[in-house]
Amino acid sequence: MTQTPLSENGIDQGYALSTTLVDPDVADMIAARENVLGRVDYTTAAADPILSARSPRLALHMAHGKADSFSELWTTPHDVTAGMHDGVAYAHDGEFLFVAGRIAESGHYATATEKAYLTALGLIRDLGYPNCYRMWNVVGAINEDNAEGLENYRDFCLGRADAFATMRFNETEIPAATGIGALGGGIGFYFLTSRSGSPIAIENPQQVSAYHYPQRYGPKAPKFARATRMGGRVYVSGTASITGHESRHEGDLVRQTHLSLENIARVIGASNLWEHGIGDGYFLANLDHIKVYVRHAEDIPVVRGICERAFSPAAEVRYLNVDVCRSDLLVEIEGIAY
Ligand SMILES: O=C(O)C1=C[C@@H](O)[C@H](O)C=C1
Ligand SMILES: CC(=O)C(=O)O
């Protein structure tokens, strides 16, 4: 039997995940003919995760209408095995696992977040796909206070940190993530993990690692890496106008957008990747499947103008009008570098 060559991340080269951000009706057509590991609808109402056409599907309230609604599809060349476990939907293909869950709208999120994360992270390990490399979290009313006067984002971070501690994640195992506002629906989350891949967590020398943020940002620090290298790609976390641990250019949309892009370019650049033992380098023009989160709808044209000059014209880019995890941040950007 010939041994399929492994990529440098230890993944059998017969496995590769594809992703795309498409209009929902296009997603329906793709899902009808391809093996879908997971589908996430950025749409006008949140819903609990379900199994739809033998795949996990999660609806996030992230769009104001049909015009800004889209679906994110993760597809694989292999058959998938899907299921539900204690409210978490999942599917795996032998190398990659997608899990999705939702935490109901509430006046307190820490305990429910810890429970949901422990369910999902426990499932990931029980199914044998322990290498988590990308997380997405969308938080309704992210900048508003909970019933005790703690901002919902900080409440979420408290529960997440406790779950990571219980599961004994060390700093190098913390994956790239997004933590962004939603237009309602509690907290929706979805993760990508692998069976044999070796994710490499990447930090930005110009930023304090989020998990080292001082307590002024909340009782427990956010848990995410600036990016994660997996399967020959770099998954870039939601990135904003922050250097050190402080927000920069308060009230200045243009400079916040440029600093967010500068942070991404630095994280994926050859010199920073070299510092992380990765012999590759990328530019903003190598970014694809980009989400640009903009706090004020009227700012989207300005942000789009800056981004279009930075990104490849071939890149998939979606602009969302949602809140950002710090109230002084106007824009945040994520993507995948190939
Ligand atoms: O809390 C997070 O996971 C997170 C928040 C933002 O800084 C950005 O979206 C990246 C991750
Ligand atoms: C707040 C934010 O975007 C960060 O911590 O990177």
Side-chain angles (χ1 to χ4, degrees), residues 97-180:
L97 170 69
F98 173 96
V99 299
R102 182 175 170 231
I103 300 158
E105 204 158 340
S106 164
H108 305 80
Y109 281 119
T111 305
T113 297
E114 181 185 9
K115 180 176 181 298
Y117 256 62
L118 287 175
T119 300
L121 295 174
L123 176 65
I124 284 164
R125 289 191 181 165
D126 293 347
L127 290 172
Y129 293 77
N131 308 301
C132 191
Y133 63 92
R134 187 61 164 96
M135 297 176 148
W136 284 267
N137 310 275
V138 302
V139 181
I142 193 169
N143 300 132
E144 292 175 25
D145 287 352
N146 72 3
E148 271 98 37
L150 180 66
E151 185 190 52
N152 284 326
Y153 175 61
R154 299 178 182 208
D155 195 8
F156 160 73
C157 286
L158 182 55
R160 173 175 55 176
D162 289 346
F164 271 74
T166 302
M167 298 300 285
R168 299 186 184 283
F169 269 69
N170 64 47
E171 288 179 358
T172 61
E173 293 174 309
I174 297 173
T178 294
I180 199 75

Side-chain angles (χ1 to χ4, degrees), residues 213 216-217 240-250 256 259 325-330:
Y213 281 168
R216 72 170 81 165
Y217 300 104
S241 179
I242 291 173
T243 55
H245 55 73
E246 294 178 297
S247 303
R248 305 292 177 187
H249 311 309
E250 185 164 358
Q256 283 204 17
L259 181 51
C325 61
R326 287 186 193 175
S327 53
D328 55 1
L329 294 173
L330 298 171

Side-chain angles (χ1 to χ4, degrees), residues 298-309:
E298 61 271 22
D299 289 344
I300 290 178
V302 169
V303 174
R304 186 195 299 270
I306 296 168
C307 288
E308 285 178 347
R309 288 193 293 276

Side-chain angles (χ1 to χ4, degrees), residues 171-329:
E171 288 179 358
T172 61
E173 293 174 309
I174 297 173
T178 294
I180 199 75
L183 300 172
I187 299 175
F189 62 89
Y190 58 106
F191 306 160
L192 290 173
T193 80
S194 82
R195 178 186 294 282
S196 50
S198 312
I200 302 173
I202 301 165
E203 292 301 315
N204 178 347
Q206 302 299 315
Q207 294 182 298
V208 169
S209 295
Y211 43 80
H212 288 158
Y213 281 168
Q215 276 216 320
R216 72 170 81 165
Y217 300 104
K220 293 278 179 79
K223 293 286 183 185
F224 66 97
R226 298 296 171 186
T228 300
R229 162 86 164 192
M230 167 59 101
R233 303 162 188 177
V234 177
Y235 293 81
V236 181
S237 296
T239 304
S241 179
I242 291 173
T243 55
H245 55 73
E246 294 178 297
S247 303
R248 305 292 177 187
H249 311 309
E250 185 164 358
D252 186 332
L253 175 73
V254 171
R255 295 177 77 180
Q256 283 204 17
T257 305
H258 281 294
L259 181 51
S260 301
L261 292 169
E262 197 180 301
N263 277 330
I264 294 175
R266 180 172 296 108
V267 165
I268 64 177
S271 61
N272 189 53
L273 295 188
W274 180 261
E275 291 299 321
H276 290 78
I278 299 166
D280 272 340
Y282 304 88
F283 299 98
L284 291 175
N286 302 119
L287 219 55
D288 201 352
H289 318 304
I290 300 162
K291 299 190 191 92
V292 181
Y293 306 100
V294 185
R295 181 178 291 279
H296 303 302
E298 61 271 22
D299 289 344
I300 290 178
V302 169
V303 174
R304 186 195 299 270
I306 296 168
C307 288
E308 285 178 347
R309 288 193 293 276
F311 300 142
S312 162
E316 290 181 339
V317 189
R318 296 282 173 163
Y319 295 85
L320 301 94
N321 173 215
V322 293
D323 289 336
V324 186
C325 61
R326 287 186 193 175
S327 53
D328 55 1
L329 294 173

